[in-house]
């Protein structure tokens, strides 16, 4: 009996079984750079003072932004704008919004509503001027859109009347 089992064990181990190798699908890795919006958000969250935030914004302004990441960057900038109390940081954010609206391949009409809403509540004259310049950049980027053009003209007229009424006592203009 033992001889029979020994013979059977040897038979099992001496058989050669060939299996066809299935081609294993290889996964290709794609290396990507981290998103500009994520990097900017992290930097702005790290800022402990308005001076730090301004430095991060200045560093960000020196780097090019791809058209596909502009919308995310704009959302982050707007989110930080609403939280910011310092006018110099708000001024830089408004400036960056104007620069980003000129990016090739990006349609700036999504910025327009936010810029107009911001304009309604802003008190700093420098930031107001920069926001109006941003709206001008949006208007020049979308010259064929008549609805956008008319809305921008209405906003500009409204703020000219407010500005003139606000400044008349400072520079001696006759009241309107």
């Amino acid at each position: 009996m033992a001889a029979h089992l020994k013979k059977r064990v040897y038979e099992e181990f001496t058989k050669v079984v060939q299996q066809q190798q299935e081609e294993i699908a290889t996964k290709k890795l794609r290396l990507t750079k981290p998103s500009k919006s994520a990097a900017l958000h992290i930097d702005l969250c790290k800022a402990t003072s308005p001076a730090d935030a301004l430095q991060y914004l200045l560093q960000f302004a020196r780097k090019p932004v791809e058209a596909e990441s502009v919308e995310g960057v704009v959302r982050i900038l707007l989110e930080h704008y609403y939280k910011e109390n310092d006018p110099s940081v708000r001024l830089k954010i408004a400036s960056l919004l104007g620069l980003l609206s000129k990016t090739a391949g990006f349609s700036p009409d999504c910025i327009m509503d936010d810029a107009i809403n911001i304009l309604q509540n802003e008190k700093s004259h420098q930031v107001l001027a920069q926001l109006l310049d941003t709206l001008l950049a949006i208007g020049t980027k979308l010259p064929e859109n008549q609805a956008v053009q008319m809305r921008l003209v209405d906003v500009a007229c409204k703020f000219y009347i407010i500005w003139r009424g606000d400044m008349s006592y400072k520079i001696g203009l006759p009241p309107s």
Side-chain angles (χ1 to χ4, degrees):
M1 176 91 165
H4 178 67
L5 287 175
K6 191 174 184 182
K7 182 179 175 186
R8 189 170 171 192
V9 168
Y10 283 129
E11 285 178 4
E12 287 181 16
F13 287 115
T14 57
K15 289 183 182 176
V16 177
V17 178
Q18 290 184 349
Q19 293 181 344
Q20 293 180 350
Q21 289 184 343
E22 296 177 15
E23 290 187 28
I24 300 172
T26 58
K27 293 183 179 181
K28 295 183 180 182
L29 296 177
R30 188 179 73 174
L31 299 176
T32 60
K33 291 186 257 179
S35 159
K36 287 276 192 179
S37 59
L40 178 65
H41 182 66
I42 290 168
D43 288 345
L44 289 176
C45 287
K46 286 192 300 187
T48 57
S49 69
D52 289 344
L54 193 58
Q55 282 295 2
Y56 289 127
L57 291 170
L58 289 170
Q59 290 171 1
F60 179 78
R62 293 185 195 114
K63 300 173 188 172
V65 179
E66 298 83 23
E68 59 269 2
S69 63
V70 170
E71 192 165 347
V73 170
V74 165
R75 292 288 144 218
I76 301 257
L77 287 171
L78 288 169
E79 179 183 316
H80 192 72
Y81 183 95
Y82 290 121
K83 295 177 187 174
E84 188 58 51
N85 293 326
D86 189 77
S88 61
V89 177
R90 290 195 318 265
L91 178 68
K92 186 59 184 174
I93 291 173
S95 170
L96 285 172
L97 289 174
L99 288 173
L100 290 171
S101 69
K102 296 176 186 176
T103 303
F106 174 69
S107 180
D109 52 352
C110 65
I111 300 175
M112 187 178 71
D113 292 331
D114 290 313
I116 291 171
N117 290 338
I118 289 170
L119 198 60
Q120 311 265 337
N121 300 323
E122 186 57 53
K123 301 295 181 213
S124 169
H125 288 282
Q126 290 179 329
V127 179
L128 281 172
Q130 186 61 54
L131 286 169
L132 287 171
D133 188 55
T134 298
L135 289 174
L136 176 66
I138 292 170
T140 55
K141 182 87 187 263
L142 301 169
E144 69 283 346
N145 192 335
Q146 290 299 318
V148 168
Q149 295 294 319
M150 292 304 296
R151 183 151 184 228
L152 291 175
V153 167
D154 289 342
V155 169
C157 289
K158 176 183 171 192
F159 278 93
Y160 173 73
I161 291 169
I162 290 171
W163 176 79
R164 184 178 166 130
D166 190 32
M167 296 299 290
S168 62
Y169 70 93
K170 294 180 183 175
I171 58 175
L173 290 175
S176 43

